[in-house]
Amino acid sequence: MSTPLYITMHPADNVAIVANDGGLPAGTVFPDGLTLVDKVPQAHKVALVDIPEGGAVRRYNATIGYANKPLPRGSWVHERLLTMPEARALEGLPIATVKPEPPPPLEGYTFEGYRNPDGSVGTRNILAITQTVQCVAGVTDFAVQRIKAELLPRYPNVDDVVALEHTYGCGVAIDAPDAIVPIRTLRNISLNPNFGGEVMVVSLGCEKLQPERLLPPGSIPIVDERNVADVGDTAEAKLDVVCLQDDAHVGFMSMVQSIMRQAEEHLERLNARRRETVPASELVVGVQCGGSDAFSGVTANPAVGYCTDLLVRAGATVMFSEVTEVRDGIDQLTSRASTPEVAEAMVREMAWYDAYLDKGRVDRSANTTPGNKKGGLSNIVEKAMGSIVKSGSAPITGVISPGEKLKQKGLIYAATPASDFICGTLQLAAGMNLHVFTTGRGTPYGLAEVPVIKVATRDDLARRWHDLMDVNAGTIATGEKTIAEVGWEMFQLMLDVASGRKKTWAEQWKLHNALVLFNPAPVT
Amino acid sequence: MSTPLYITMHPADNVAIVANDGGLPAGTVFPDGLTLVDKVPQAHKVALVDIPEGGAVRRYNATIGYANKPLPRGSWVHERLLTMPEARALEGLPIATVKPEPPPPLEGYTFEGYRNPDGSVGTRNILAITQTVQCVAGVTDFAVQRIKAELLPRYPNVDDVVALEHTYGCGVAIDAPDAIVPIRTLRNISLNPNFGGEVMVVSLGCEKLQPERLLPPGSIPIVDERNVADVGDTAEAKLDVVCLQDDAHVGFMSMVQSIMRQAEEHLERLNARRRETVPASELVVGVQCGGSDAFSGVTANPAVGYCTDLLVRAGATVMFSEVTEVRDGIDQLTSRASTPEVAEAMVREMAWYDAYLDKGRVDRSANTTPGNKKGGLSNIVEKAMGSIVKSGSAPITGVISPGEKLKQKGLIYAATPASDFICGTLQLAAGMNLHVFTTGRGTPYGLAEVPVIKVATRDDLARRWHDLMDVNAGTIATGEKTIAEVGWEMFQLMLDVASGRKKTWAEQWKLHNALVLFNPAPVT
Ligand SMILES: [Ca+2]
Ligand SMILES: [Ca+2]
Ligand SMILES: [Ca+2]
Ligand SMILES: [Ca+2]
Ligand SMILES: [Ca+2]
């Protein structure tokens, strides 16, 4: 058996987690003399001192709970023994109090990307077919299969053809105040840097979300012939829309052929594009976690946090998200805001989400999963502390609301639900060109629209899921590597993946999860 | 040009709709002397008498609006000229006042179906793969492609393999009061008659919606070896679950192979099944409309209503749905309820939905689409009157809430949103084995799980979409056929489609829309 090992996050903590694969039996003696009085599963907490009944249990230098009964030194501290603290009030928070020295810029790092007319850079060269409504999904899918089989082989520089299927567009309260969220999400996904500005739309005709409502004039930054429908010899700039209910469509195949004909024009232009060397500052990285365990906040997320700092130093953009997973650390975030306005925007997003959950008669504690608890995370407070570390240590310079597009670089708080699919979908809309996903329990998550780099928190998972996990941060727990080493490894891998030199495992297997919209408004 | 024709729904109506393709110009004189003072598009309303400012505009013997200004005889009556009536209060409704004579039973009609262990009957023989969570969708999809390519050819009696993909299962407030709706929907879809009781589940492992929560012991009516996981030589009845996070899975392909191995057992048993002659009373028909125009309530929906009466006389089950589209006719429905309990259940569903919409700061009027209005439907009241006729004239004998499974035969009000995909998904959960969908504007709607018979409201649509529309009810407007004739035609087609003797167009082209869950609870 390997040496018994526990990991403490902060000198002020009174619990640590057991690092060894398979956990440790009662009676185990650690090198410093700490003796387990219970069997403690891997990634679960052990008391470092005697904690009295009602005493604060501290991890990440934060109170993650209060002891329901005396917890002797060496005992297993699990969720049934803790009472969760109340949510931090959103008043009286420290605002922009931390003014970290700007770290030295990181220069000279580049990748090979596709420069877009609007200045953004793609990491892949994909034809995306925007849909106004779920009604057209079957026809579009039929057409996409034919495009892939019959057209794509003739355009070898195009990586893929992706139907942006979603369940919105009709049968929804489209004039409800909150409907702005799904609508702008769909709009902004169409404009993701990986699609090269080649926007084409399949519409039914009678749907609530009409093409002009989805993409009003001016919403596509560069309107030139690339976004112009072929409508005879009129030269008017017009959204490139195939409308299935158009009178010109007689028979199913005429619809399929319309889609294929329009697709071919875009494929031709996409095929002519070439990668060029661009600075690392053109990376727009969305980070999130899913299937978390207690190692998430010890290995993978701190390594992501280190890498986030590298990216910010290189002038790139990093988004962190997941409202319910940062809610309990709001004071850390507001204090790291670069300006009071940024702090206020964060508080606004948290307050909106509190109210949203309250309407459904739940609160932030609805976040945690059976897997989280099995994995050693006692409650949302502990989960949040381990989730926030993905954001590193840089000042937070901007905040966007769900479905909004990024307007600036640096470290950005992109407010989204923690749901892996909804978070990923909203980060796509924000303009992400690379996705980093940490997981402890393991998930085969992938997206068709951007590469997803998956980071395992544990050695054991990385070993078993050797062809699904791209980075093994479990080496941090075993002592093989430092957080900095894994952070740098990730940074280098990002440049390789962004350049197309390496494919992620999700890309290899073509593992594609659904776009899942955040629609806080009613359906009808 | 064909003879100018208008259609009135009830002798007390003061508006009618123009039937002619392309509409009619101002100055057109109808055979009875009515002269158009405006150009009136097809399916739009014309005033039959002078209607004073503030006067009630009546169609289907119901007030669909009040005139905003004087509407002279022969003028075009469109939505901008009408003020919509308030929603009918849910108090003081007529309760079970209509006691129609039970119509003579319709005997001797049969179809060829798959009899299930629980007594239900399938119209198709499909292996459905239930998923607890979106996380597993990519892996399951990969496995299903291989199953179709490598296994299905060896099981020729099995029609298809369908992954029941959905966006629920984690990242959701699973303990919120309203979470019961999506959970029971998923559970009951797994038990749809077309899947032969062969339930197999793909689970991630750490998700909120654990397999035992989705399908608790006893929820699968017949637990025999068909639903038993192979766990060595233990004979314990256990749900057949492939868990991706299982320690036994080393590498991606081991997950794929687990799914394929389990699928093969179910395919073997499904393949051994044979169609047998069963009475028409085993049909469970879900009816809905989508992409409606003013002809929907004149041709297709009345024909469906006629067919509904035939089905009920044959002892079958018919579900009608779409809360916001029957809300304005609630008095008609409560008066047709077979008992006060049924009427009260309908009122309860309407009240729940009123409150649900209100939370999102909208009301029932959020239902109508741009296509409805273009198609001549001025508002939700007019749309509702034309939607309700799908329910025919039989007494309403039962009500189910969203996601519930049917417990009885006859004419049932299955409360669902009007959204085509959500309504279809909930009717699948209720146990539908055949789906009838009427459309005026046209939609290529289809489901992988049950055959969808699509009915066009207009000759023109049926002509243009000749290989997407299964029934042309437009012949009712042209006078070629009566409502009864089209109703009987539908009834016969249902028996043919249910028997597998005919395929619907959606089946021919494999047009499959997504399962879309109704989740009134928050995401996290
Ligand atoms: Ca997370
Ligand atoms: Ca997440
Ligand atoms: Ca089995
Ligand atoms: Ca409808
Ligand atoms: Ca509908």
Side-chain angles (χ1 to χ4, degrees):
Chain A
M1 208 185 83
S2 56
T3 313
L5 179 67
Y6 66 77
I7 302 176
T8 316
M9 294 310 291
H10 190 274
D13 293 354
N14 57 9
V15 294
I17 66 163
V18 167
N20 304 69
D21 267 12
L24 293 171
T28 301
V29 183
F30 290 90
D32 67 354
L34 176 70
T35 305
L36 291 186
V37 299
D38 300 311
K39 176 180 185 319
V40 180
Q42 190 192 30
H44 279 247
K45 291 177 287 298
V46 55
L48 299 175
V49 296
D50 290 336
I51 303 171
E53 186 171 337
V57 174
R58 292 186 69 80
R59 214 179 146 214
Y60 298 98
N61 195 26
T63 298
I64 61 166
Y66 298 97
N68 291 340
K69 59 174 198 176
L71 303 172
R73 170 175 157 91
S75 65
W76 179 21
V77 179
H78 55 70
E79 90 272 8
R80 292 181 308 281
L81 300 173
L82 300 185
T83 299
M84 190 169 78
E86 288 294 300
R88 178 74 165 89
L90 292 176
E91 291 84 45
L93 290 161
I95 302 293
T97 47
V98 177
K99 295 279 183 203
E101 277 298 292
L106 197 62
E107 279 163 353
Y109 291 90
T110 62
F111 70 100
E112 305 297 306
Y114 294 97
R115 179 71 76 179
N116 291 316
D118 69 354
S120 69
V121 172
T123 59
R124 294 293 179 269
N125 190 26
I126 293 171
L127 172 61
I129 303 183
T130 296
Q131 295 166 72
T132 51
V133 66
Q134 167 63 216
C135 304
V136 304
V139 176
T140 307
D141 186 54
F142 190 103
V144 166
Q145 287 180 40
R146 283 194 52 189
I147 293 167
K148 284 187 180 183
E150 298 169 34
L151 301 182
L152 197 56
R154 304 211 321 264
Y155 302 101
N157 292 331
V158 181
D159 291 315
D160 206 356
V161 180
V162 174
L164 300 175
E165 183 178 350
H166 60 84
T167 65
Y168 199 73
C170 215
V172 293
I174 204 162
D175 293 315
D178 290 332
I180 184 68
V181 175
I183 296 171
R184 71 183 171 208
T185 302
L186 287 174
R187 175 182 308 145
N188 290 331
I189 287 178
S190 304
L191 307 175
N192 183 281
N194 279 3
F195 308 149
E198 296 289 339
V199 178
M200 71 169 279
V201 180
V202 179
S203 152
L204 181 60
C206 61
E207 67 273 22
K208 283 181 178 161
L209 187 56
Q210 291 285 300
E212 314 77 51
R213 184 159 184 177
L214 179 60
L215 289 154
S219 63
I220 302 183
I222 307 294
V223 177
D224 60 11
E225 101 285 24
R226 80 185 51 230
N227 296 312
V228 174
D230 283 309
V231 283
D233 46 12
T234 68
E236 195 197 349
K238 230 182 120 180
L239 196 59
D240 191 353
V241 178
V242 174
C243 173
L244 301 190
Q245 287 174 351
D246 204 293
D247 283 348
H249 288 135
V250 177
F252 173 62
M253 279 307 160
S254 72
M255 300 174 186
V256 173
Q257 273 150 17
S258 282
I259 297 170
M260 291 179 73
R261 195 165 47 239
Q262 290 309 106
E264 189 150 19
E265 290 182 21
H266 295 281
L267 285 170
E268 265 169 31
R269 286 192 296 263
L270 287 170
N271 196 54
R273 305 170 82 216
R274 293 294 177 273
R275 287 186 186 271
E276 56 189 274
T277 304
V278 297
S281 60
E282 298 296 356
L283 284 177
V284 182
V285 179
V287 304
Q288 69 157 320
C289 49
S292 300
D293 66 3
F295 276 116
S296 297
V298 173
T299 60
N301 291 352
V304 168
Y306 189 93
C307 184
T308 293
D309 286 349
L310 296 178
L311 287 161
V312 172
R313 284 172 57 197
T317 308
V318 181
M319 285 178 277
F320 70 108
S321 297
E322 302 176 298
V323 172
T324 52
E325 290 181 15
V326 299
R327 176 67 182 82
D328 282 286
I330 181 65
D331 51 336
Q332 295 178 37
L333 298 181
T334 51
S335 60
R336 274 172 60 199
S338 63
T339 66
E341 290 68 34
V342 167
E344 280 154 26
M346 272 189 284
V347 169
R348 205 161 48 233
E349 294 298 335
M350 302 288 137
W352 184 93
Y353 217 92
D354 281 357
Y356 163 75
L357 292 175
D358 191 55
K359 266 197 284 189
R361 292 187 277 160
V362 290
D363 62 27
R364 76 212 197 280
S365 69
N367 172 297
T368 45
T369 66
N372 291 156
K373 288 172 183 173
K374 250 193 190 163
L377 291 170
S378 290
N379 57 39
I380 185 61
V381 183
E382 183 175 17
K383 187 175 176 180
M385 297 306 136
S387 181
I388 286 176
V389 296
K390 298 195 295 294
S391 68
S393 61
I396 300 161
T397 51
V399 176
I400 58 173
S401 295
E404 283 185 344
K405 204 167 149 58
L406 285 163
K407 291 169 285 281
Q408 61 185 132
K409 298 195 176 216
L411 180 61
I412 308 292
Y413 181 65
T416 77
S419 156
D420 299 347
F421 314 103
I422 299 180
C423 173
T425 298
L426 292 169
Q427 290 185 342
L428 276 175
M432 142 172 97
N433 57 21
L434 202 58
H435 200 19
V436 174
F437 191 103
T438 68
T439 182
R441 310 291 302 169
T443 158
Y445 179 72
L447 292 174
E449 296 80 9
V450 299
V452 179
I453 293 174
K454 288 206 294 294
V455 183
T457 69
R458 289 177 300 124
D459 217 33
D460 167 57
L461 176 67
R463 227 173 15 235
R464 281 191 296 112
W465 290 31
H466 57 87
D467 52 4
L468 287 166
M469 294 290 135
D470 301 290
V471 177
N472 177 12
T475 50
I476 294 166
T478 59
E480 280 172 79
K481 290 188 185 166
T482 63
I483 287 172
E485 281 169 338
V486 177
W488 271 105
E489 186 188 318
M490 259 182 224
F491 182 72
Q492 294 288 359
L493 180 62
M494 282 184 196
L495 297 176
D496 286 342
V497 169
S499 301
R501 288 190 292 267
K502 279 194 185 162
K503 277 189 172 182
T504 66
W505 281 114
E507 284 182 294
Q508 297 275 9
W509 302 120
K510 298 190 198 306
L511 297 178
H512 298 159
N513 282 107
L515 296 179
V516 184
L517 292 172
F518 183 37
N519 180 18
V523 297
T524 62
Chain B
M1 207 184 83
S2 57
T3 312
L5 179 67
Y6 66 77
I7 301 177
T8 317
M9 294 311 291
H10 190 275
D13 292 354
N14 57 10
V15 294
I17 66 161
V18 167
N20 305 69
D21 267 12
L24 293 171
T28 300
V29 183
F30 290 90
D32 69 353
L34 176 71
T35 305
L36 291 185
V37 300
D38 299 311
K39 178 181 186 315
V40 180
Q42 190 192 29
H44 279 248
K45 291 178 286 299
V46 54
L48 298 175
V49 297
D50 290 337
I51 303 172
E53 186 171 337
V57 174
R58 293 186 69 80
R59 219 183 141 210
Y60 297 98
N61 195 26
T63 297
I64 61 166
Y66 299 97
N68 291 339
K69 59 174 198 174
L71 303 172
R73 170 175 157 91
S75 64
W76 179 20
V77 179
H78 56 70
E79 89 274 8
R80 291 181 308 282
L81 300 173
L82 300 185
T83 299
M84 191 168 77
E86 288 295 300
R88 179 74 165 86
L90 292 176
E91 291 85 45
L93 289 161
I95 301 293
T97 46
V98 176
K99 295 279 183 202
E101 277 299 292
L106 196 62
E107 280 164 352
Y109 290 92
T110 62
F111 69 100
E112 304 297 307
Y114 294 97
R115 179 73 73 180
N116 291 316
D118 69 353
S120 69
V121 172
T123 60
R124 294 293 179 271
N125 190 26
I126 294 170
L127 173 61
I129 302 184
T130 296
Q131 297 167 69
T132 51
V133 66
Q134 168 63 215
C135 304
V136 304
V139 176
T140 307
D141 187 52
F142 190 102
V144 165
Q145 287 180 41
R146 283 195 51 191
I147 293 168
K148 284 186 180 185
E150 298 169 34
L151 301 182
L152 197 55
R154 305 210 321 264
Y155 301 101
N157 292 330
V158 181
D159 291 316
D160 206 356
V161 180
V162 174
L164 299 176
E165 183 178 350
H166 61 84
T167 65
Y168 199 73
C170 215
V172 293
I174 205 162
D175 293 315
D178 290 332
I180 184 68
V181 175
I183 296 171
R184 72 182 170 208
T185 302
L186 287 174
R187 174 181 308 144
N188 290 331
I189 287 178
S190 304
L191 307 175
N192 184 280
N194 280 2
F195 308 150
E198 295 289 340
V199 177
M200 71 170 278
V201 180
V202 179
S203 152
L204 181 60
C206 61
E207 67 274 21
K208 283 181 178 161
L209 187 57
Q210 291 285 300
E212 314 76 52
R213 183 159 184 176
L214 179 60
L215 289 154
S219 63
I220 302 183
I222 307 295
V223 177
D224 59 10
E225 102 284 29
R226 79 186 53 230
N227 297 312
V228 174
D230 284 308
V231 282
D233 47 12
T234 67
E236 194 197 350
K238 230 181 119 180
L239 197 59
D240 190 353
V241 178
V242 174
C243 173
L244 301 189
Q245 287 175 351
D246 204 293
D247 283 348
H249 288 135
V250 177
F252 173 62
M253 278 307 160
S254 73
M255 301 174 186
V256 173
Q257 272 150 17
S258 282
I259 298 171
M260 291 180 73
R261 194 164 48 240
Q262 288 308 103
E264 190 151 19
E265 290 182 21
H266 295 281
L267 285 170
E268 264 169 33
R269 286 192 296 263
L270 287 169
N271 195 55
R273 304 171 82 215
R274 294 293 178 273
R275 288 185 185 270
E276 55 188 276
T277 303
V278 297
S281 59
E282 298 296 357
L283 285 177
V284 181
V285 180
V287 304
Q288 70 157 320
C289 49
S292 300
D293 67 2
F295 276 115
S296 297
V298 174
T299 61
N301 291 353
V304 168
Y306 189 93
C307 184
T308 293
D309 286 349
L310 295 178
L311 288 161
V312 173
R313 284 173 58 197
T317 307
V318 181
M319 284 178 278
F320 70 108
S321 296
E322 302 176 299
V323 172
T324 53
E325 290 182 15
V326 300
R327 176 65 182 82
D328 281 286
I330 180 65
D331 51 337
Q332 295 178 38
L333 298 181
T334 52
S335 60
R336 274 173 60 199
S338 63
T339 65
E341 290 68 35
V342 168
E344 279 154 27
M346 273 190 283
V347 169
R348 205 159 49 232
E349 294 297 336
M350 303 286 138
W352 184 93
Y353 217 93
D354 281 358
Y356 164 74
L357 292 175
D358 191 55
K359 266 198 284 190
R361 292 189 277 161
V362 290
D363 62 28
R364 76 211 197 280
S365 70
N367 172 297
T368 46
T369 67
N372 290 155
K373 289 171 182 173
K374 248 192 191 164
L377 292 170
S378 290
N379 57 39
I380 185 60
V381 184
E382 183 176 16
K383 187 175 177 180
M385 296 306 135
S387 181
I388 286 177
V389 296
K390 296 196 294 295
S391 68
S393 61
I396 301 161
T397 50
V399 176
I400 58 174
S401 294
E404 284 184 344
K405 203 167 150 58
L406 286 164
K407 288 170 286 282
Q408 60 183 131
K409 298 196 175 215
L411 180 62
I412 308 292
Y413 182 65
T416 77
S419 156
D420 298 348
F421 313 104
I422 299 181
C423 173
T425 298
L426 293 169
Q427 290 185 342
L428 276 175
M432 140 172 101
N433 57 21
L434 201 58
H435 200 19
V436 175
F437 191 102
T438 69
T439 182
R441 310 291 302 168
T443 159
Y445 178 73
L447 292 174
E449 296 81 8
V450 298
V452 179
I453 294 174
K454 289 207 294 296
V455 183
T457 69
R458 289 176 300 121
D459 216 33
D460 168 57
L461 176 68
R463 228 173 14 235
R464 281 191 295 114
W465 289 32
H466 56 87
D467 52 5
L468 287 166
M469 293 291 134
D470 301 290
V471 177
N472 176 13
T475 51
I476 294 166
T478 58
E480 278 171 79
K481 289 188 186 164
T482 63
I483 286 173
E485 281 168 338
V486 177
W488 271 106
E489 186 187 319
M490 260 181 222
F491 182 73
Q492 294 288 359
L493 180 62
M494 282 183 195
L495 298 176
D496 285 342
V497 168
S499 302
R501 288 189 292 266
K502 279 193 184 162
K503 278 189 171 181
T504 66
W505 280 114
E507 284 182 293
Q508 296 275 8
W509 302 120
K510 298 189 199 303
L511 297 178
H512 298 161
N513 283 106
L515 296 179
V516 183
L517 291 173
F518 182 37
N519 180 17
V523 298
T524 61

